[in-house]
Amino acid sequence: MKRISFVVLSLCFMLVGRAQEKTTLDLSANSCCRFQVTYNDVKTICMEARSINQLHDLYNMDVCSYYNLTQYDTELKRKFFANSEDGKALLETMKNMKTSSEAKRHYYIFPFSANMGWDKAYNLKTKTFDFGYSIDETGFLPVNGYLNFPQFAIKCTPKVKQVVQKRQGTDRASYLTTIKIPMTESEALAIEEHIDNLALAVQFTIQGWGETKRKINLGGAVFITTACVKAVSPKMYIIDKNTNEIYFEL
């Protein structure tokens, strides 16, 4: 009888231990594409593209830009190359890579430590975790009904709200953006206690593309053009940026 009680008790402890373990998000390179915010850039971790611009070229089937074939520097040259055997072979390769990319899960990762010191704390009045960050005008793509992130506009659950304040500098504008994620106080406490190790992870599917332009003067009018992504999200997480353990999901 004692032996049976011991076995039952051991099983109970094992079940409790497993219940307390956090699940992890699979962010391996062969199963997903990641776009991670750093202090001054959005880093692309994707087998099909090394940057957002290259992914844009892939989705638009722009062979010369994707492979950086700068010798084809006019529309006529690019047209003739596209119709050549080499051009057709590369285009077919790109089609396969695009299919592979579209089959993967895509994540936008924003470490809380990369928000340059803006707010990241629970708001007792609104019952939301408020996460603030600044977006330069070259990466801000305003789309009604979407949340703005650097170089991304993502349509998320309407439960998450966004507040945007435009700040005009002497030569360029920026946008102080705060997203408000609803959660309980106990959920927020666990996040605040580990805030420096955590990140926002937004799963998304690419809907389309946009671009922003900023005019500068270099002996004449010159425009800096930045590719931006329009996407829709089924799920939002807060994860440990080192272990990928999930602390919260919505």
Side-chain angles (χ1 to χ4, degrees):
M1 186 67 180
K2 289 182 179 180
R3 182 180 177 84
I4 294 174
S5 298
F6 176 77
V7 171
V8 171
L9 193 60
S10 299
L11 288 172
C12 289
F13 278 122
M14 287 175 62
L15 291 172
V16 170
R18 287 178 181 175
Q20 291 176 342
E21 290 179 1
K22 291 184 174 65
T23 56
T24 60
L25 204 60
D26 181 8
L27 297 179
S28 55
N30 60 347
S31 67
C32 73
C33 290
R34 284 184 287 157
F35 303 86
Q36 184 162 319
V37 178
T38 63
Y39 287 107
N40 57 6
D41 197 6
V42 180
K43 182 181 179 182
T44 303
I45 305 170
C46 185
M47 294 178 66
E48 292 79 18
R50 296 184 301 274
S51 67
I52 293 175
N53 283 336
Q54 192 179 35
L55 190 68
H56 174 266
D57 296 334
L58 177 64
Y59 272 67
N60 285 280
M61 292 290 106
D62 188 335
V63 175
C64 291
S65 293
Y66 181 83
Y67 289 103
N68 195 29
L69 303 177
T70 55
Q71 65 269 37
Y72 304 107
D73 55 358
T74 68
E75 290 187 16
L76 182 60
K77 291 178 183 178
R78 285 192 287 270
K79 179 181 178 180
F80 270 84
F81 177 74
N83 290 324
S84 69
E85 290 303 315
D86 287 344
K88 291 177 181 178
L90 289 178
L91 182 63
E92 193 62 32
T93 300
M94 287 181 67
K95 288 179 180 178
N96 293 333
M97 286 191 292
K98 181 180 178 182
T99 299
S100 172
S101 176
E102 290 176 331
K104 294 181 178 180
R105 288 170 289 107
H106 290 65
Y107 290 98
Y108 190 83
I109 312 293
F110 200 145
F112 292 137
S113 58
N115 78 330
M116 304 297 287
W118 296 106
D119 290 341
K120 45 188 175 187
Y122 192 67
N123 188 321
L124 288 170
K125 293 181 180 179
T126 60
K127 304 298 181 184
T128 57
F129 181 80
D130 294 356
F131 178 45
Y133 47 89
S134 182
I135 309 176
D136 186 84
E137 64 179 347
T138 55
F140 183 82
L141 184 67
V143 183
N144 189 36
Y146 288 62
L147 299 183
N148 272 103
F149 299 98
Q151 286 189 256
F152 276 74
I154 306 178
K155 188 176 185 65
C156 299
T157 170
K159 294 179 181 178
V160 179
K161 306 300 181 183
Q162 177 180 248
V163 178
V164 179
Q165 299 175 353
K166 183 177 181 179
R167 300 192 167 199
Q168 184 65 52
T170 54
D171 64 339
R172 63 202 301 173
S174 63
Y175 296 83
L176 177 56
T177 306
T178 301
I179 60 170
K180 304 172 75 67
I181 307 171
M183 65 179 65
T184 66
E185 292 182 3
S186 58
E187 289 171 328
L189 182 61
I191 291 168
E192 287 190 352
E193 288 177 339
H194 301 88
I195 192 71
D196 290 336
N197 296 321
L198 303 185
L200 181 70
V202 184
Q203 185 181 345
F204 68 89
T205 300
I206 295 176
Q207 283 185 312
W209 296 83
E211 63 180 23
T212 62
K213 290 185 178 181
R214 185 169 73 88
K215 184 178 179 180
I216 60 175
N217 292 310
L218 293 173
V222 178
F223 288 92
I224 295 177
T225 303
T226 304
C228 294
V229 180
K230 286 177 60 180
V232 61
S233 170
K235 207 78 172 176
M236 177 182 289
Y237 303 89
I238 292 176
I239 63 171
D240 186 296
K241 63 185 181 183
N242 298 311
T243 66
N244 300 331
E245 288 181 318
I246 298 173
Y247 276 68
F248 175 83
E249 61 182 276
L250 183 63

